[in-house]
Amino acid sequence: MKISDLRLTVIAMPRNTGFVCKHVIVEIDADNGLTGIGEMSDFSHLPHYSLDIQDMAVVLKSILLGQSPFDISLLNKELLSNFPETMFYYEKGNFIRNGIDAALHDLCAKSLGISVAEFIGGRIKEKIKVCYPIFRHRFMEEVEENLAIVRERLSKGFDTFRLYVGKNLDADEAFLDGVKQEFGSTVTIKSLDFSHLLDWKSALKATKRLSQYDFQMVESPAVQNDFEGLHHYRMNTEYPVSEHVWSFRQQSEMIKHDSVDIFNISPIFIGGITAARKAAAAAEVAGKSCLIGTTQELSVGTAAMAHLGSSLVNLNYTSDPTGPELYIGDIVKNPVQYENGYLLVPGRDLPGLGMELDWDQINTYRVDDLSWGNVSVHQLQDRTSQTKK
């Protein structure tokens, strides 16, 4: 089996908040008629530069065409040479490698008639506990809006939440107090996520202020790549500390400095299932736990994370992939499923990632390129209305 073609399709999917995120659907064809699919998820992040989708396709074809999709390690080595790690959280080269690696896994597993979970070593679990994100408060007026989100999501089975903090601590405190007063022990706050917004001393001060409320861990309580700062924070708090892995050098430095308790591992940030498995194995050797992180993927990317998570022996904490719940639509006929706050791993009887593309939906949200600001939620809503007529 050899790779015969590659296609990249850009779509712009609005979130429930109205913010439009651009993703790239990857299709890799083999000469036996099978197609593997992947997702380069959520390019709408800093830094503010965009990639040329046609140029990207030309480069990727030069790497992939004529190769065996089973040469995953070799192909990942070549991809890394062309789209290298840069020690940056939202490195778009990692996004590219992630989409290709997922499609290779999907294609190989399909050719064997098994799921990706079985292809990478088998399932330890059939479902993964996940949390719903509460985005950062800027103004006090947003507190009640976010409490309403908790009410709505709790009614749908999501009882665990991740709170982005650090922009307006008065509002963060008011929200946590509102959760405590209204929901008590029925709602769990998994983490305070500082997202590198504050230096470690400021994050520690904020954590102490909010410690009168119950939460399980703290994420990213230092600026990017401040390994010593993370260590100092960890030594001065009682809470487990979690940080994302976005390069192997960065993970090595965190292990060397004993900076974290939990590695937040997501294929999108480290460059694919292959790299994420290596990061999880490094964490296991270092005696650290893992959770599966997110950039708010659609169902293809989320399915890849579900298969990955189902195979990890050190996935010991609540994970983050609830992206499909944040968007007004999806790109597959059978979106991933959530049940009582768990992400269900696609079934053993579904080959590959277990996802089938829905071209009616894709064409509704399809756009020409990855540039910033060239599509609005209103334009997409108009297209959706026309499709339904």
Side-chain angles (χ1 to χ4, degrees):
M1 181 171 65
K2 301 293 184 181
I3 297 171
S4 59
D5 200 6
L6 171 137
R7 292 179 299 283
L8 304 177
T9 304
V10 184
I11 61 106
M13 184 65 71
R15 294 189 185 183
N16 297 323
T17 59
F19 183 73
V20 178
C21 296
K22 289 188 174 181
H23 313 259
V24 176
I25 303 165
V26 178
E27 297 173 275
I28 296 178
D29 292 339
D31 55 9
N32 62 355
L34 292 174
T35 298
I37 62 174
E39 178 184 311
M40 301 175 186
S41 312
D42 201 359
F43 273 94
S44 303
H45 279 289
L46 294 172
H48 273 169
Y49 69 84
S50 59
L51 300 165
D52 185 285
I53 195 69
Q54 285 77 28
D55 183 65
M56 189 197 308
V58 169
V59 172
L60 291 171
K61 285 182 179 182
S62 73
I63 296 170
L64 297 170
L65 297 194
Q67 303 299 315
S68 168
F70 284 97
D71 288 337
I72 291 178
S73 294
L74 179 63
L75 293 173
N76 268 277
K77 182 180 179 181
E78 187 68 17
L79 288 166
L80 187 60
S81 296
N82 285 270
F83 305 99
E85 295 178 347
T86 62
M87 292 279 284
F88 188 76
Y89 183 22
Y90 283 109
E91 168 50 45
K92 293 178 181 180
N94 291 349
F95 289 26
I96 294 167
R97 289 187 285 113
N98 172 60
I100 298 300
D101 188 63
L104 291 173
H105 278 78
D106 186 52
L107 179 56
C108 291
K110 282 176 177 174
S111 74
L112 298 172
I114 61 175
S115 74
V116 166
E118 276 67 49
F119 180 62
I120 61 177
R123 300 168 188 242
I124 296 172
K125 51 181 71 71
E126 297 292 339
K127 60 183 181 180
I128 298 168
K129 182 65 176 176
V130 293
C131 62
Y132 195 87
I134 301 296
F135 293 108
R136 189 168 284 110
H137 296 97
R138 297 163 299 165
F139 310 106
M140 190 64 74
E141 292 76 18
E142 293 171 322
V143 170
E144 182 50 47
E145 296 173 11
N146 281 333
L147 288 171
I149 290 174
V150 174
R151 291 185 203 106
E152 184 218 353
R153 290 295 157 177
L154 184 61
S155 71
K156 296 182 178 180
F158 292 96
D159 60 359
T160 305
F161 297 83
R162 173 168 55 104
L163 176 63
Y164 288 88
V165 297
K167 193 76 170 178
N168 185 329
L169 287 173
D170 291 337
D172 295 336
E173 185 172 358
F175 172 82
L176 289 168
D177 189 68
V179 168
K180 181 179 180 179
Q181 297 301 323
E182 181 173 349
F183 304 105
S185 61
T186 61
V187 163
T188 297
I189 301 298
K190 185 202 81 169
S191 61
L192 305 184
D193 190 342
F194 286 95
S195 299
H196 320 113
L197 187 67
L198 304 179
D199 63 82
W200 77 267
K201 291 182 180 179
S202 299
L204 183 62
K205 183 178 180 180
T207 303
K208 290 178 177 178
R209 173 178 174 178
L210 300 175
S211 63
Q212 60 185 300
Y213 304 101
D214 292 330
F215 50 90
Q216 295 178 336
M217 70 178 75
V218 178
E219 296 189 301
S220 306
V223 296
Q224 284 191 39
N225 299 321
D226 182 7
F227 313 114
E228 291 184 0
L230 269 177
H231 173 78
H232 290 314
Y233 178 94
R234 181 169 176 257
M235 292 298 101
N236 284 279
T237 187
E238 63 187 88
Y239 297 100
V241 176
S242 171
E243 182 56 283
H244 302 76
V245 180
W246 52 79
S247 85
F248 288 116
R249 180 186 167 192
Q250 175 238 5
Q251 186 181 26
S252 175
E253 291 292 335
M254 287 192 287
I255 293 172
K256 184 190 304 182
H257 288 85
D258 202 16
S259 299
V260 301
D261 302 282
I262 307 156
F263 284 112
N264 183 318
I265 296 173
S266 178
I268 186 70
F269 291 125
I270 191 62
I273 295 172
T274 300
R277 291 178 67 203
K278 291 179 182 178
E284 183 183 358
V285 170
K288 305 294 185 180
S289 295
C290 293
L291 63 86
I292 301 295
T294 185
T295 185
Q296 315 308 345
E297 295 82 354
L298 296 167
S299 276
V300 173
T302 304
M305 292 189 291
H307 285 280
L308 169 68
S310 75
S311 70
L312 298 182
V313 297
N314 54 339
L315 184 67
N316 301 325
Y317 285 87
T318 300
S319 293
D320 299 338
T322 52
E325 294 289 307
L326 273 67
Y327 293 98
I328 68 170
D330 213 316
I331 57 171
V332 295
K333 294 180 179 179
N334 51 334
V336 294
Q337 297 297 306
Y338 295 89
E339 184 178 278
N340 297 323
Y342 285 84
L343 169 62
L344 304 184
V345 183
R348 295 172 184 267
D349 57 333
L350 299 173
L353 293 173
M355 297 285 108
E356 181 182 357
L357 295 177
D358 184 336
W359 283 97
D360 287 337
Q361 289 296 308
I362 291 169
N363 289 327
T364 296
Y365 298 106
R366 188 171 188 162
V367 292
D368 293 331
D369 56 50
L370 286 168
S371 61
W372 288 76
N374 67 339
V375 65
S376 73
V377 66
H378 302 295
Q379 291 172 315
L380 294 168
Q381 287 172 338
D382 289 343
R383 282 198 214 166
T384 305
S385 299
Q386 291 297 321
T387 302
K388 292 180 179 179
K389 287 182 180 178

